[in-house]
Amino acid sequence: MSSLLSLSSITPRSWQGYAALALLAGAILLWPLVDAAPGYGIATAALIFLLLLLAIEADNFPPAIGVVLLFLGAHGAAWLLLAGITGNEGTARASFYLLLAAAWLLAWRCVTVLSALRPTSRWAATALRLIIPTIFGAWILIIWEAVTRGAGIPFILLPPPSAIGVRIANSLPMLAADVRQTIFKAVIFGYVVGSGAGFLAAIAADRVPFLRRGLLPIGNMVSALPIIGVAPIMVMWFGFDWQSKAAVVIIMTFFPMLVNTVAGLAASGHMERDLMRTYASSYWQTLFKLRLPAAAPFIFNALKINSTLALIGAIVAEFFGTPVVGMGFRISTEVGRMNIDMVWAEIAVAALAGSVFYGVVALFERAVTFWHPSVRGG
């Protein structure tokens, strides 16, 4: 194999390139990639090396071309490595992991170059903000896939992402029913009621000092209650359907909104409030024109926290009694059946739903608080 490729003419310009070059040399010395026959053919192995060498040389090209070569070389080599190990699970040798590490380093270099770019158009800047985390997340899945298949980890302990993807594709109706039961019924209702009640309670506590002194200590105490203790009680009170899970979500989202809104209402400066008093503004005029806008970042911070707490609370509550549908119910039953790929499929769907929920709240925050320095970049 060493006769096929000459590494002496390669001149990287980054430490990732030098490290990848060293890993390629080590892979040649420790050849072959797998113990199984036929393993990787000569043509496939040569293509992997050529892609990696092309990516190492990318720094010698203009940035726009170099980043494309880095992306294609690193990810093309990773795809060929994963395609070759599929069906040969548990047979990977050290050279396989060395080439995988080389591809990862070059993907790192790709992200570094992308981060240094300064696009002039808005759409290019938005695309860049999406591409960089996408590459980072993709490599988490690539390494996960390569390690589980290369080391031959039993699927019952840790299935590879490809198996989880196949399970999701084959279980879409079941997953859709679980999402409808858990998210569109329990989570959304509990989120809206809990956050809304916390906001109104904060306004009342701000208006009445007695409530502020009494509610906040109780809120801190109740927010520390373990969900595994509250959920069975809610199931006993409200039954096995989604209403009991919504009650758990209400409890979990009420006090973060209360505490953050009370803190936000105190965020406006004394000079601004004195100015409102000189205009003879009433309490409600000051609240709506000064204090609530100043509290908006705190309120949206609570909404973003609650977007994840609501999903966690509903899923955990379903462990303690639910109809034969729901994300928590599916996780608990499939673990008992040793269908671990289905468990991971539910986890993946929950993570995706939580990310989308959080992203929607964050986008709404940017639209509402566009004037705030944290949004304007000031």
Side-chain angles (χ1 to χ4, degrees):
M1 187 69 197
S2 59
S3 62
L4 296 177
L5 299 167
S6 176
L7 305 182
S8 59
S9 61
I10 304 300
T11 55
R13 294 187 178 182
S14 64
W15 71 265
Q16 291 99 332
Y18 281 106
L21 194 61
L23 291 172
L24 261 66
I28 293 174
L29 295 175
L30 298 174
W31 200 259
L33 295 176
V34 294
D35 292 324
Y40 292 83
I42 294 297
T44 303
L47 183 56
I48 292 172
F49 273 83
L50 287 174
L51 286 170
L52 293 175
L53 291 174
L54 183 64
I56 292 172
E57 280 285 295
D59 284 332
N60 295 315
F61 292 86
I65 299 175
V67 74
V68 173
L69 294 178
L70 280 167
F71 181 86
L72 294 177
H75 294 86
W79 183 81
L80 290 173
L81 286 169
L82 293 179
I85 199 63
T86 303
N88 298 315
E89 286 80 2
T91 63
R93 298 183 63 176
S95 56
F96 172 85
Y97 296 106
L98 291 177
L99 291 181
L100 180 69
W104 170 71
L105 285 172
L106 294 171
W108 183 350
R109 179 60 184 167
C110 177
V111 171
T112 302
V113 175
L114 286 171
S115 301
L117 296 178
R118 294 294 179 265
T120 56
S121 61
R122 185 174 180 180
W123 71 267
T126 302
L128 198 60
R129 285 198 300 268
L130 295 175
I131 290 172
I132 292 174
T134 299
I135 294 175
F136 188 90
W139 270 93
I140 294 176
L141 299 179
I142 290 170
I143 294 173
W144 178 356
E145 180 85 14
V147 171
T148 52
R149 291 193 180 275
I153 297 175
F155 282 20
I156 196 172
L157 296 180
L158 184 63
S162 58
I164 298 171
V166 171
R167 185 66 171 187
I168 292 174
N170 294 334
S171 306
L172 287 178
M174 184 184 299
L175 292 170
D178 293 339
V179 168
R180 184 167 55 252
Q181 173 73 17
T182 301
I183 296 178
F184 290 105
K185 290 184 178 180
V187 170
I188 292 181
F189 180 84
Y191 178 84
V192 172
V193 173
S195 298
F199 176 79
L200 295 177
I203 300 296
D206 180 76
R207 182 64 172 162
V208 182
F210 167 76
L211 290 178
R212 182 166 63 251
R213 298 191 188 99
L215 268 180
L216 290 182
I218 294 176
N220 292 330
M221 181 188 69
V222 173
S223 62
L225 292 176
I227 184 176
I228 59 173
V230 174
I233 297 174
M234 294 299 104
V235 171
M236 292 175 62
W237 287 1
F238 299 102
F240 289 93
D241 209 349
W242 63 269
Q243 291 87 351
S244 57
K245 288 67 184 178
V248 174
V249 174
I250 290 172
I251 294 174
M252 293 189 67
T253 57
F254 177 85
F255 293 103
M257 176 58 75
L258 170 65
V259 173
N260 277 274
T261 304
V262 169
L265 291 174
S268 57
H270 291 287
M271 294 181 62
E272 291 86 352
R273 281 179 279 179
D274 290 341
L275 180 62
M276 296 297 292
R277 280 193 287 267
T278 62
Y279 293 150
S281 299
S282 66
Y283 170 83
W284 296 107
Q285 288 175 322
T286 303
L287 178 69
F288 286 107
K289 295 183 178 180
L290 172 65
R291 302 181 68 199
L292 277 180
F298 293 83
I299 295 171
F300 278 104
N301 186 48
L303 289 173
K304 288 188 288 187
I305 293 172
N306 285 345
S307 67
T308 55
L309 285 180
L311 187 59
I312 294 171
I315 291 175
V316 173
E318 287 179 344
F319 278 70
F320 298 93
T322 185
V324 289
V325 67
M327 304 180 80
F329 164 80
R330 195 74 57 199
I331 291 172
S332 61
T333 54
E334 297 300 330
V335 164
R337 297 172 180 172
M338 294 300 178
N339 293 330
I340 306 301
D341 54 346
M342 187 63 193
V343 174
W344 278 99
E346 290 283 356
I347 293 173
V349 171
L352 178 61
S355 300
V356 171
F357 197 178
Y358 185 96
V360 169
V361 175
L363 289 175
F364 188 60
E365 178 187 18
R366 292 183 66 87
V368 173
T369 61
F370 59 90
W371 50 268
H372 197 267
S374 63
V375 176
R376 292 188 288 108

mmCIF file of all heavy atoms in Angstrom, residues 247-291:
data_model
loop_
_atom_site.group_PDB
_atom_site.id
_atom_site.type_symbol
_atom_site.label_atom_id
_atom_site.label_comp_id
_atom_site.label_asym_id
_atom_site.label_seq_id
_atom_site.Cartn_x
_atom_site.Cartn_y
_atom_site.Cartn_z
ATOM 1 N N ALA A 247 -50.774 18.434 34.141
ATOM 2 C CA ALA A 247 -50.672 18.992 35.494
ATOM 3 C C ALA A 247 -49.218 19.005 35.964
ATOM 4 O O ALA A 247 -48.763 19.971 36.597
ATOM 5 C CB ALA A 247 -51.540 18.184 36.463
ATOM 6 N N VAL A 248 -48.473 17.950 35.659
ATOM 7 C CA VAL A 248 -47.048 17.917 36.002
ATOM 8 C C VAL A 248 -46.301 19.023 35.266
ATOM 9 O O VAL A 248 -45.446 19.713 35.846
ATOM 10 C CB VAL A 248 -46.449 16.534 35.672
ATOM 11 C CG1 VAL A 248 -44.940 16.539 35.879
ATOM 12 C CG2 VAL A 248 -47.087 15.460 36.535
ATOM 13 N N VAL A 249 -46.623 19.210 34.003
ATOM 14 C CA VAL A 249 -45.966 20.263 33.211
ATOM 15 C C VAL A 249 -46.286 21.635 33.786
ATOM 16 O O VAL A 249 -45.416 22.516 33.862
ATOM 17 C CB VAL A 249 -46.399 20.166 31.739
ATOM 18 C CG1 VAL A 249 -45.854 21.337 30.943
ATOM 19 C CG2 VAL A 249 -45.929 18.850 31.138
ATOM 20 N N ILE A 250 -47.520 21.837 34.213
ATOM 21 C CA ILE A 250 -47.904 23.133 34.804
ATOM 22 C C ILE A 250 -47.069 23.417 36.047
ATOM 23 O O ILE A 250 -46.559 24.528 36.238
ATOM 24 C CB ILE A 250 -49.413 23.135 35.133
ATOM 25 C CG1 ILE A 250 -50.230 23.157 33.834
ATOM 26 C CG2 ILE A 250 -49.775 24.338 36.007
ATOM 27 C CD1 ILE A 250 -51.714 22.963 34.046
ATOM 28 N N ILE A 251 -46.902 22.420 36.892
ATOM 29 C CA ILE A 251 -46.107 22.606 38.108
ATOM 30 C C ILE A 251 -44.656 22.928 37.760
ATOM 31 O O ILE A 251 -44.021 23.794 38.375
ATOM 32 C CB ILE A 251 -46.192 21.351 38.991
ATOM 33 C CG1 ILE A 251 -47.617 21.169 39.517
ATOM 34 C CG2 ILE A 251 -45.194 21.422 40.149
ATOM 35 C CD1 ILE A 251 -47.823 19.874 40.275
ATOM 36 N N MET A 252 -44.121 22.251 36.754
ATOM 37 C CA MET A 252 -42.712 22.443 36.406
ATOM 38 C C MET A 252 -42.448 23.777 35.722
ATOM 39 O O MET A 252 -41.334 24.319 35.810
ATOM 40 C CB MET A 252 -42.231 21.303 35.509
ATOM 41 C CG MET A 252 -42.192 19.956 36.191
ATOM 42 S SD MET A 252 -41.372 18.709 35.182
ATOM 43 C CE MET A 252 -39.684 19.312 35.160
ATOM 44 N N THR A 253 -43.440 24.326 35.008
ATOM 45 C CA THR A 253 -43.221 25.564 34.258
ATOM 46 C C THR A 253 -43.698 26.811 34.997
ATOM 47 O O THR A 253 -43.330 27.928 34.603
ATOM 48 C CB THR A 253 -43.938 25.489 32.901
ATOM 49 O OG1 THR A 253 -45.340 25.226 33.111
ATOM 50 C CG2 THR A 253 -43.348 24.385 32.041
ATOM 51 N N PHE A 254 -44.500 26.640 36.036
ATOM 52 C CA PHE A 254 -45.058 27.802 36.736
ATOM 53 C C PHE A 254 -43.972 28.624 37.426
ATOM 54 O O PHE A 254 -43.868 29.846 37.235
ATOM 55 C CB PHE A 254 -46.101 27.327 37.750
ATOM 56 C CG PHE A 254 -46.685 28.439 38.582
ATOM 57 C CD1 PHE A 254 -47.750 29.182 38.102
ATOM 58 C CD2 PHE A 254 -46.178 28.737 39.837
ATOM 59 C CE1 PHE A 254 -48.297 30.210 38.874
ATOM 60 C CE2 PHE A 254 -46.715 29.751 40.609
ATOM 61 C CZ PHE A 254 -47.777 30.494 40.122
ATOM 62 N N PHE A 255 -43.129 27.994 38.215
ATOM 63 C CA PHE A 255 -42.210 28.738 39.066
ATOM 64 C C PHE A 255 -41.003 29.310 38.319
ATOM 65 O O PHE A 255 -40.545 30.407 38.676
ATOM 66 C CB PHE A 255 -41.788 27.872 40.246
ATOM 67 C CG PHE A 255 -42.922 27.601 41.179
ATOM 68 C CD1 PHE A 255 -43.577 26.388 41.180
ATOM 69 C CD2 PHE A 255 -43.377 28.588 42.045
ATOM 70 C CE1 PHE A 255 -44.645 26.144 42.019
ATOM 71 C CE2 PHE A 255 -44.454 28.364 42.891
ATOM 72 C CZ PHE A 255 -45.085 27.138 42.893
ATOM 73 N N PRO A 256 -40.452 28.662 37.294
ATOM 74 C CA PRO A 256 -39.426 29.381 36.517
ATOM 75 C C PRO A 256 -39.940 30.679 35.899
ATOM 76 O O PRO A 256 -39.231 31.687 35.892
ATOM 77 C CB PRO A 256 -39.035 28.360 35.438
ATOM 78 C CG PRO A 256 -39.302 27.025 36.066
ATOM 79 C CD PRO A 256 -40.526 27.234 36.901
ATOM 80 N N MET A 257 -41.177 30.661 35.405
ATOM 81 C CA MET A 257 -41.740 31.892 34.863
ATOM 82 C C MET A 257 -41.970 32.924 35.965
ATOM 83 O O MET A 257 -41.681 34.120 35.786
ATOM 84 C CB MET A 257 -43.060 31.583 34.144
ATOM 85 C CG MET A 257 -43.787 32.810 33.618
ATOM 86 S SD MET A 257 -42.801 33.787 32.452
ATOM 87 C CE MET A 257 -42.890 32.744 31.010
ATOM 88 N N LEU A 258 -42.458 32.490 37.112
ATOM 89 C CA LEU A 258 -42.696 33.406 38.223
ATOM 90 C C LEU A 258 -41.407 34.094 38.658
ATOM 91 O O LEU A 258 -41.335 35.328 38.758
ATOM 92 C CB LEU A 258 -43.314 32.636 39.398
ATOM 93 C CG LEU A 258 -43.422 33.389 40.733
ATOM 94 C CD1 LEU A 258 -44.384 34.559 40.616
ATOM 95 C CD2 LEU A 258 -43.866 32.439 41.851
ATOM 96 N N VAL A 259 -40.372 33.321 38.914
ATOM 97 C CA VAL A 259 -39.121 33.872 39.425
ATOM 98 C C VAL A 259 -38.467 34.786 38.387
ATOM 99 O O VAL A 259 -37.996 35.893 38.713
ATOM 100 C CB VAL A 259 -38.176 32.722 39.837
ATOM 101 C CG1 VAL A 259 -36.805 33.257 40.200
ATOM 102 C CG2 VAL A 259 -38.760 31.936 41.000
ATOM 103 N N ASN A 260 -38.417 34.370 37.130
ATOM 104 C CA ASN A 260 -37.776 35.189 36.100
ATOM 105 C C ASN A 260 -38.544 36.474 35.830
ATOM 106 O O ASN A 260 -37.933 37.530 35.609
ATOM 107 C CB ASN A 260 -37.641 34.382 34.803
ATOM 108 C CG ASN A 260 -36.429 33.485 34.788
ATOM 109 O OD1 ASN A 260 -35.338 33.897 34.435
ATOM 110 N ND2 ASN A 260 -36.624 32.239 35.216
ATOM 111 N N THR A 261 -39.871 36.421 35.831
ATOM 112 C CA THR A 261 -40.652 37.625 35.571
ATOM 113 C C THR A 261 -40.516 38.624 36.715
ATOM 114 O O THR A 261 -40.383 39.841 36.472
ATOM 115 C CB THR A 261 -42.126 37.271 35.346
ATOM 116 O OG1 THR A 261 -42.232 36.320 34.288
ATOM 117 C CG2 THR A 261 -42.933 38.504 34.984
ATOM 118 N N VAL A 262 -40.529 38.149 37.942
ATOM 119 C CA VAL A 262 -40.338 39.048 39.079
ATOM 120 C C VAL A 262 -38.968 39.718 39.003
ATOM 121 O O VAL A 262 -38.821 40.927 39.230
ATOM 122 C CB VAL A 262 -40.504 38.279 40.412
ATOM 123 C CG1 VAL A 262 -40.041 39.119 41.587
ATOM 124 C CG2 VAL A 262 -41.962 37.873 40.603
ATOM 125 N N ALA A 263 -37.938 38.941 38.655
ATOM 126 C CA ALA A 263 -36.600 39.524 38.510
ATOM 127 C C ALA A 263 -36.563 40.515 37.350
ATOM 128 O O ALA A 263 -35.913 41.569 37.437
ATOM 129 C CB ALA A 263 -35.574 38.418 38.300
ATOM 130 N N GLY A 264 -37.244 40.184 36.259
ATOM 131 C CA GLY A 264 -37.244 41.083 35.110
ATOM 132 C C GLY A 264 -37.968 42.385 35.385
ATOM 133 O O GLY A 264 -37.553 43.448 34.892
ATOM 134 N N LEU A 265 -39.056 42.348 36.153
ATOM 135 C CA LEU A 265 -39.789 43.570 36.467
ATOM 136 C C LEU A 265 -38.964 44.532 37.311
ATOM 137 O O LEU A 265 -39.249 45.741 37.343
ATOM 138 C CB LEU A 265 -41.097 43.225 37.183
ATOM 139 C CG LEU A 265 -42.152 42.517 36.320
ATOM 140 C CD1 LEU A 265 -43.342 42.090 37.158
ATOM 141 C CD2 LEU A 265 -42.611 43.414 35.174
ATOM 142 N N ALA A 266 -37.965 44.013 38.007
ATOM 143 C CA ALA A 266 -37.073 44.870 38.806
ATOM 144 C C ALA A 266 -35.846 45.317 38.021
ATOM 145 O O ALA A 266 -34.956 45.963 38.583
ATOM 146 C CB ALA A 266 -36.642 44.123 40.062
ATOM 147 N N ALA A 267 -35.777 44.975 36.715
ATOM 148 C CA ALA A 267 -34.570 45.250 35.935
ATOM 149 C C ALA A 267 -34.519 46.677 35.403
ATOM 150 O O ALA A 267 -33.441 47.164 35.056
ATOM 151 C CB ALA A 267 -34.477 44.270 34.762
ATOM 152 N N SER A 268 -35.655 47.347 35.315
ATOM 153 C CA SER A 268 -35.629 48.719 34.812
ATOM 154 C C SER A 268 -34.916 49.629 35.804
ATOM 155 O O SER A 268 -35.015 49.455 37.025
ATOM 156 C CB SER A 268 -37.050 49.216 34.558
ATOM 157 O OG SER A 268 -37.827 49.123 35.738
ATOM 158 N N GLY A 269 -34.231 50.622 35.301
ATOM 159 C CA GLY A 269 -33.426 51.493 36.145
ATOM 160 C C GLY A 269 -34.260 52.503 36.921
ATOM 161 O O GLY A 269 -35.406 52.819 36.568
ATOM 162 N N HIS A 270 -33.645 53.022 37.976
ATOM 163 C CA HIS A 270 -34.344 54.009 38.807
ATOM 164 C C HIS A 270 -34.593 55.301 38.031
ATOM 165 O O HIS A 270 -35.630 55.943 38.194
ATOM 166 C CB HIS A 270 -33.522 54.309 40.057
ATOM 167 C CG HIS A 270 -33.449 53.150 41.012
ATOM 168 N ND1 HIS A 270 -34.524 52.756 41.777
ATOM 169 C CD2 HIS A 270 -32.425 52.306 41.323
ATOM 170 C CE1 HIS A 270 -34.178 51.709 42.529
ATOM 171 N NE2 HIS A 270 -32.900 51.419 42.270
ATOM 172 N N MET A 271 -33.666 55.672 37.162
ATOM 173 C CA MET A 271 -33.846 56.912 36.407
ATOM 174 C C MET A 271 -35.038 56.810 35.470
ATOM 175 O O MET A 271 -35.825 57.764 35.332
ATOM 176 C CB MET A 271 -32.578 57.233 35.608
ATOM 177 C CG MET A 271 -31.370 57.572 36.470
ATOM 178 S SD MET A 271 -29.908 57.980 35.502
ATOM 179 C CE MET A 271 -30.475 59.428 34.622
ATOM 180 N N GLU A 272 -35.203 55.653 34.830
ATOM 181 C CA GLU A 272 -36.344 55.478 33.934
ATOM 182 C C GLU A 272 -37.661 55.522 34.701
ATOM 183 O O GLU A 272 -38.637 56.140 34.250
ATOM 184 C CB GLU A 272 -36.228 54.155 33.173
ATOM 185 C CG GLU A 272 -35.113 54.112 32.140
ATOM 186 C CD GLU A 272 -33.785 53.704 32.753
ATOM 187 O OE1 GLU A 272 -33.714 53.605 33.996
ATOM 188 O OE2 GLU A 272 -32.821 53.478 32.000
ATOM 189 N N ARG A 273 -37.679 54.877 35.856
ATOM 190 C CA ARG A 273 -38.911 54.892 36.650
ATOM 191 C C ARG A 273 -39.205 56.289 37.196
ATOM 192 O O ARG A 273 -40.365 56.714 37.268
ATOM 193 C CB ARG A 273 -38.814 53.868 37.778
ATOM 194 C CG ARG A 273 -39.081 52.430 37.321
ATOM 195 C CD ARG A 273 -38.956 51.440 38.432
ATOM 196 N NE ARG A 273 -37.553 51.100 38.688
ATOM 197 C CZ ARG A 273 -37.137 50.272 39.621
ATOM 198 N NH1 ARG A 273 -38.031 49.716 40.442
ATOM 199 N NH2 ARG A 273 -35.862 49.999 39.773
ATOM 200 N N ASP A 274 -38.163 57.028 37.594
ATOM 201 C CA ASP A 274 -38.377 58.408 38.043
ATOM 202 C C ASP A 274 -38.923 59.268 36.917
ATOM 203 O O ASP A 274 -39.785 60.137 37.134
ATOM 204 C CB ASP A 274 -37.061 58.995 38.560
ATOM 205 C CG ASP A 274 -36.612 58.366 39.876
ATOM 206 O OD1 ASP A 274 -37.484 57.768 40.550
ATOM 207 O OD2 ASP A 274 -35.424 58.467 40.208
ATOM 208 N N LEU A 275 -38.420 59.017 35.686
ATOM 209 C CA LEU A 275 -38.921 59.763 34.539
ATOM 210 C C LEU A 275 -40.401 59.481 34.305
ATOM 211 O O LEU A 275 -41.187 60.399 34.016
ATOM 212 C CB LEU A 275 -38.113 59.403 33.290
ATOM 213 C CG LEU A 275 -38.517 60.102 31.994
ATOM 214 C CD1 LEU A 275 -38.338 61.616 32.121
ATOM 215 C CD2 LEU A 275 -37.718 59.562 30.819
ATOM 216 N N MET A 276 -40.801 58.224 34.432
ATOM 217 C CA MET A 276 -42.218 57.893 34.276
ATOM 218 C C MET A 276 -43.067 58.560 35.348
ATOM 219 O O MET A 276 -44.195 58.994 35.079
ATOM 220 C CB MET A 276 -42.408 56.371 34.314
ATOM 221 C CG MET A 276 -41.749 55.614 33.172
ATOM 222 S SD MET A 276 -42.415 56.025 31.541
ATOM 223 C CE MET A 276 -44.064 55.327 31.655
ATOM 224 N N ARG A 277 -42.534 58.678 36.555
ATOM 225 C CA ARG A 277 -43.287 59.351 37.630
ATOM 226 C C ARG A 277 -43.431 60.840 37.346
ATOM 227 O O ARG A 277 -44.455 61.445 37.683
ATOM 228 C CB ARG A 277 -42.609 59.115 38.966
ATOM 229 C CG ARG A 277 -42.926 57.746 39.586
ATOM 230 C CD ARG A 277 -42.496 57.664 41.040
ATOM 231 N NE ARG A 277 -41.034 57.582 41.154
ATOM 232 C CZ ARG A 277 -40.359 56.447 41.223
ATOM 233 N NH1 ARG A 277 -41.014 55.276 41.180
ATOM 234 N NH2 ARG A 277 -39.046 56.451 41.325
ATOM 235 N N THR A 278 -42.404 61.434 36.722
ATOM 236 C CA THR A 278 -42.528 62.865 36.395
ATOM 237 C C THR A 278 -43.604 63.105 35.347
ATOM 238 O O THR A 278 -44.146 64.213 35.260
ATOM 239 C CB THR A 278 -41.192 63.417 35.874
ATOM 240 O OG1 THR A 278 -40.827 62.728 34.678
ATOM 241 C CG2 THR A 278 -40.098 63.273 36.914
ATOM 242 N N TYR A 279 -43.897 62.094 34.530
ATOM 243 C CA TYR A 279 -44.982 62.193 33.558
ATOM 244 C C TYR A 279 -46.339 61.843 34.177
ATOM 245 O O TYR A 279 -47.333 61.763 33.455
ATOM 246 C CB TYR A 279 -44.732 61.268 32.376
ATOM 247 C CG TYR A 279 -43.554 61.655 31.520
ATOM 248 C CD1 TYR A 279 -42.811 60.690 30.842
ATOM 249 C CD2 TYR A 279 -43.185 62.989 31.374
ATOM 250 C CE1 TYR A 279 -41.730 61.040 30.053
ATOM 251 C CE2 TYR A 279 -42.103 63.348 30.589
ATOM 252 C CZ TYR A 279 -41.374 62.372 29.928
ATOM 253 O OH TYR A 279 -40.311 62.730 29.144
ATOM 254 N N ALA A 280 -46.355 61.611 35.484
ATOM 255 C CA ALA A 280 -47.587 61.242 36.206
ATOM 256 C C ALA A 280 -48.177 59.944 35.667
ATOM 257 O O ALA A 280 -49.397 59.767 35.586
ATOM 258 C CB ALA A 280 -48.612 62.370 36.127
ATOM 259 N N SER A 281 -47.300 59.005 35.295
ATOM 260 C CA SER A 281 -47.770 57.720 34.786
ATOM 261 C C SER A 281 -48.305 56.871 35.920
ATOM 262 O O SER A 281 -47.745 56.848 37.027
ATOM 263 C CB SER A 281 -46.619 56.982 34.094
ATOM 264 O OG SER A 281 -46.139 57.723 33.008
ATOM 265 N N SER A 282 -49.383 56.140 35.637
ATOM 266 C CA SER A 282 -49.933 55.214 36.623
ATOM 267 C C SER A 282 -49.080 53.946 36.685
ATOM 268 O O SER A 282 -48.162 53.759 35.885
ATOM 269 C CB SER A 282 -51.371 54.863 36.258
ATOM 270 O OG SER A 282 -51.396 54.129 35.031
ATOM 271 N N TYR A 283 -49.423 53.079 37.641
ATOM 272 C CA TYR A 283 -48.692 51.821 37.769
ATOM 273 C C TYR A 283 -48.784 51.004 36.495
ATOM 274 O O TYR A 283 -47.777 50.466 36.004
ATOM 275 C CB TYR A 283 -49.242 51.010 38.939
ATOM 276 C CG TYR A 283 -48.701 49.591 38.989
ATOM 277 C CD1 TYR A 283 -47.470 49.319 39.563
ATOM 278 C CD2 TYR A 283 -49.426 48.531 38.435
ATOM 279 C CE1 TYR A 283 -46.961 48.031 39.588
ATOM 280 C CE2 TYR A 283 -48.927 47.239 38.457
ATOM 281 C CZ TYR A 283 -47.695 46.996 39.035
ATOM 282 O OH TYR A 283 -47.198 45.714 39.060
ATOM 283 N N TRP A 284 -49.985 50.933 35.913
ATOM 284 C CA TRP A 284 -50.173 50.103 34.735
ATOM 285 C C TRP A 284 -49.505 50.708 33.501
ATOM 286 O O TRP A 284 -48.988 49.987 32.646
ATOM 287 C CB TRP A 284 -51.667 49.886 34.476
ATOM 288 C CG TRP A 284 -52.314 49.127 35.596
ATOM 289 C CD1 TRP A 284 -53.160 49.626 36.537
ATOM 290 C CD2 TRP A 284 -52.117 47.753 35.908
ATOM 291 N NE1 TRP A 284 -53.524 48.646 37.426
ATOM 292 C CE2 TRP A 284 -52.903 47.481 37.067
ATOM 293 C CE3 TRP A 284 -51.375 46.722 35.352
ATOM 294 C CZ2 TRP A 284 -52.956 46.221 37.653
ATOM 295 C CZ3 TRP A 284 -51.424 45.470 35.933
ATOM 296 C CH2 TRP A 284 -52.201 45.224 37.065
ATOM 297 N N GLN A 285 -49.506 52.048 33.394
ATOM 298 C CA GLN A 285 -48.793 52.668 32.287
ATOM 299 C C GLN A 285 -47.291 52.412 32.372
ATOM 300 O O GLN A 285 -46.635 52.110 31.362
ATOM 301 C CB GLN A 285 -49.070 54.181 32.280
ATOM 302 C CG GLN A 285 -50.478 54.552 31.841
ATOM 303 C CD GLN A 285 -50.739 56.038 31.978
ATOM 304 O OE1 GLN A 285 -50.295 56.679 32.934
ATOM 305 N NE2 GLN A 285 -51.486 56.598 31.023
ATOM 306 N N THR A 286 -46.744 52.532 33.581
ATOM 307 C CA THR A 286 -45.322 52.239 33.774
ATOM 308 C C THR A 286 -45.024 50.774 33.502
ATOM 309 O O THR A 286 -43.984 50.433 32.911
ATOM 310 C CB THR A 286 -44.907 52.600 35.209
ATOM 311 O OG1 THR A 286 -45.211 53.976 35.459
ATOM 312 C CG2 THR A 286 -43.415 52.362 35.421
ATOM 313 N N LEU A 287 -45.950 49.912 33.901
ATOM 314 C CA LEU A 287 -45.740 48.483 33.695
ATOM 315 C C LEU A 287 -45.663 48.142 32.212
ATOM 316 O O LEU A 287 -44.735 47.451 31.765
ATOM 317 C CB LEU A 287 -46.876 47.700 34.366
ATOM 318 C CG LEU A 287 -46.833 46.177 34.207
ATOM 319 C CD1 LEU A 287 -45.663 45.602 34.988
ATOM 320 C CD2 LEU A 287 -48.139 45.543 34.657
ATOM 321 N N PHE A 288 -46.618 48.627 31.438
ATOM 322 C CA PHE A 288 -46.689 48.230 30.032
ATOM 323 C C PHE A 288 -45.684 48.973 29.153
ATOM 324 O O PHE A 288 -45.217 48.415 28.151
ATOM 325 C CB PHE A 288 -48.110 48.449 29.499
ATOM 326 C CG PHE A 288 -49.100 47.435 29.992
ATOM 327 C CD1 PHE A 288 -50.055 47.769 30.931
ATOM 328 C CD2 PHE A 288 -49.068 46.132 29.527
ATOM 329 C CE1 PHE A 288 -50.961 46.825 31.397
ATOM 330 C CE2 PHE A 288 -49.965 45.178 29.980
ATOM 331 C CZ PHE A 288 -50.910 45.532 30.927
ATOM 332 N N LYS A 289 -45.343 50.199 29.502
ATOM 333 C CA LYS A 289 -44.471 50.993 28.634
ATOM 334 C C LYS A 289 -43.002 50.933 29.027
ATOM 335 O O LYS A 289 -42.155 51.273 28.193
ATOM 336 C CB LYS A 289 -44.951 52.446 28.622
ATOM 337 C CG LYS A 289 -46.322 52.613 27.992
ATOM 338 C CD LYS A 289 -46.735 54.085 27.922
ATOM 339 C CE LYS A 289 -48.086 54.228 27.237
ATOM 340 N NZ LYS A 289 -48.508 55.651 27.144
ATOM 341 N N LEU A 290 -42.713 50.549 30.263
ATOM 342 C CA LEU A 290 -41.315 50.525 30.698
ATOM 343 C C LEU A 290 -40.899 49.173 31.256
ATOM 344 O O LEU A 290 -39.937 48.561 30.761
ATOM 345 C CB LEU A 290 -41.078 51.610 31.751
ATOM 346 C CG LEU A 290 -39.706 51.569 32.443
ATOM 347 C CD1 LEU A 290 -38.595 51.846 31.450
ATOM 348 C CD2 LEU A 290 -39.660 52.553 33.607
ATOM 349 N N ARG A 291 -41.608 48.695 32.251
ATOM 350 C CA ARG A 291 -41.104 47.556 33.017
ATOM 351 C C ARG A 291 -41.248 46.233 32.272
ATOM 352 O O ARG A 291 -40.340 45.394 32.322
ATOM 353 C CB ARG A 291 -41.807 47.507 34.381
ATOM 354 C CG ARG A 291 -41.615 48.797 35.182
ATOM 355 C CD ARG A 291 -42.275 48.718 36.511
ATOM 356 N NE ARG A 291 -41.603 47.758 37.372
ATOM 357 C CZ ARG A 291 -42.168 47.212 38.444
ATOM 358 N NH1 ARG A 291 -43.422 47.496 38.755
ATOM 359 N NH2 ARG A 291 -41.487 46.359 39.176
#
